[in-house]
């Protein structure tokens, strides 16, 4: 049994507009299979075996209230020129500069049109084959504890773990990294950005959910009602969903 992250779930007042922003930002296409807007590589959704970690933007009635999201995307660049050009293009698409206490750093911190923060990284050799999304970064108090849970929860491989961060990536060495970064931030509101996990075809979703509960996950009631996915939180309260396999 195994689970793999298949999309970053992002809440927005105007899911269509934010979805189009992210599709343009990543050089992808926007798809609207229902009420959500999905940003993914050209060619369709390729479900249930997506070729990339997409961005699924879900409409909600509540605006962002947290000063800073506890999860964000880092975008990859291939050169200093590419970084500058990408920042300029993102601003033209509606991104704005934000200060989150980053100080003097070589990356640029921006926010999408609804205030969801993200970073445009300086070129790094480690990100040369990730695609446009270099990392999904999640704030946490204890990276080692997050490494224990998420390394067991998913079929991704733990690449690094220290007191300050834990890093995972798919066993195929493809796509973005998932990084849990130690920060002093404390969760005060529901997460605006979270991961959606998917069982492989033929795997038993209820058994996977039971396994996650045994690892320390907790059931989460967001008023979602009778839906085919299961909402959970990890041991530090980060929300995530287990989708139903097709």
């Amino acid at each position: 049994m195994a689970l793999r992250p298949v999309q970053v779930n992002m809440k927005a007042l105007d899911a269509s507009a934010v979805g189009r922003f992210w599709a343009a930002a990543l050089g992808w296409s926007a798809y609207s299979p229902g009420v959500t807007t999905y940003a993914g590589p050209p060619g369709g959704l390729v479900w249930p075996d997506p070729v990339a970690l997409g961005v699924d933007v879900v409409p909600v009635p509540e605006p962002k209230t947290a000063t800073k999201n506890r999860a964000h995307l880092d975008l990859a660049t291939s050169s200093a020129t590419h970084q500058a050009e990408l920042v300029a293009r993102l601003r033209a698409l509606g991104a704005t500069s934000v200060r989150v206490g980053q100080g003097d750093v070589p990356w640029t911190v921006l926010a999408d049109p609804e205030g969801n923060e993200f970073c445009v990284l300086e070129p790094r050799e480690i990100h040369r084959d990730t695609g446009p999304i270099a990392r999904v970064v999640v704030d946490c108090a204890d990276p080692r504890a997050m490494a224990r849970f998420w390394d067991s929860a998913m079929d991704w491989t733990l690449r690094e773990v220290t007191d300050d961060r834990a890093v995972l990536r798919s066993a195929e060495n493809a796509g973005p990294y998932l990084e849990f970064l130690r920060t002093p931030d404390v969760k005060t509101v529901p997460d605006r950005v979270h991961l959606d996990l998917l069982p492989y075809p033929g795997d038993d979703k209820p058994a996977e959910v039971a396994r996650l509960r045994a690892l320390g996950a907790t059931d989460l009631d967001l008023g979602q009602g009778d839906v085919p996915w299961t909402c959970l939180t990890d041991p530090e309260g980060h929300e995530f969903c287990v989708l139903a396999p097709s």
Side-chain angles (χ1 to χ4, degrees):
M1 295 192 298
L3 292 164
R4 61 255 166 83
V6 291
Q7 60 192 23
V8 176
N9 186 293
M10 189 177 296
K11 299 178 177 68
L13 291 171
D14 189 340
S16 179
V18 173
R20 291 194 303 271
F21 169 85
W22 280 103
L26 300 169
W28 287 351
S29 299
Y31 309 93
S32 294
V35 298
T36 72
T37 298
Y38 182 87
L45 295 178
V46 198
W47 205 256
D49 190 21
V51 297
L53 191 68
V55 178
D56 193 40
V57 186
V58 179
V60 295
E62 306 87 6
K64 180 188 173 190
T65 57
T67 303
K68 173 179 173 289
N69 286 338
R70 298 176 77 227
H72 71 267
L73 301 182
D74 282 352
L75 306 190
T77 63
S78 57
S79 67
T81 299
H82 179 207
Q83 182 185 16
E85 291 174 345
L86 180 56
V87 168
R89 185 168 67 83
L90 291 165
R91 288 187 173 129
L93 290 170
T96 54
S97 298
V98 293
R99 302 298 302 176
V100 291
Q102 66 265 33
D104 184 16
V105 293
W107 57 88
T108 300
V109 184
L110 300 172
D112 73 14
E114 290 201 9
N116 299 300
E117 303 87 0
F118 64 97
C119 298
V120 181
L121 300 180
E122 76 284 3
R124 302 179 187 179
E125 179 63 21
I126 195 172
H127 297 146
R128 62 182 174 81
D129 61 352
T130 61
I133 300 176
R135 292 178 181 251
V136 180
V137 182
V138 182
D139 295 345
C140 71
D142 186 347
R144 292 188 183 276
M146 290 295 93
R148 289 191 294 271
F149 175 83
W150 286 94
D151 187 37
S152 298
M154 305 189 307
D155 68 348
W156 281 21
T157 301
L158 184 63
R159 302 304 179 91
E160 177 185 350
V161 59
T162 68
D163 290 341
D164 292 321
R165 67 177 188 163
V167 180
L168 301 97
R169 196 186 190 196
S170 76
E172 290 78 25
N173 291 323
Y177 293 83
L178 173 61
E179 179 177 6
F180 291 91
L181 185 67
R182 185 169 65 88
T183 69
D185 299 340
V186 176
K187 179 175 180 177
T188 57
V189 297
D191 292 336
R192 200 78 176 169
V193 179
H194 70 255
L195 286 175
D196 284 344
L197 310 183
L198 183 70
Y200 283 90
D203 282 353
D204 187 290
K205 176 178 169 284
E208 284 294 310
V209 171
R211 184 176 66 84
L212 292 170
R213 291 183 183 121
L215 290 171
T218 303
D219 288 291
L220 176 67
D221 185 358
L222 293 171
Q224 65 266 26
D226 185 18
V227 293
W229 58 88
T230 301
C231 299
L232 300 167
T233 61
D234 72 13
E236 281 200 13
H238 303 106
E239 298 155 17
F240 67 98
C241 294
V242 179
L243 306 180
S246 299

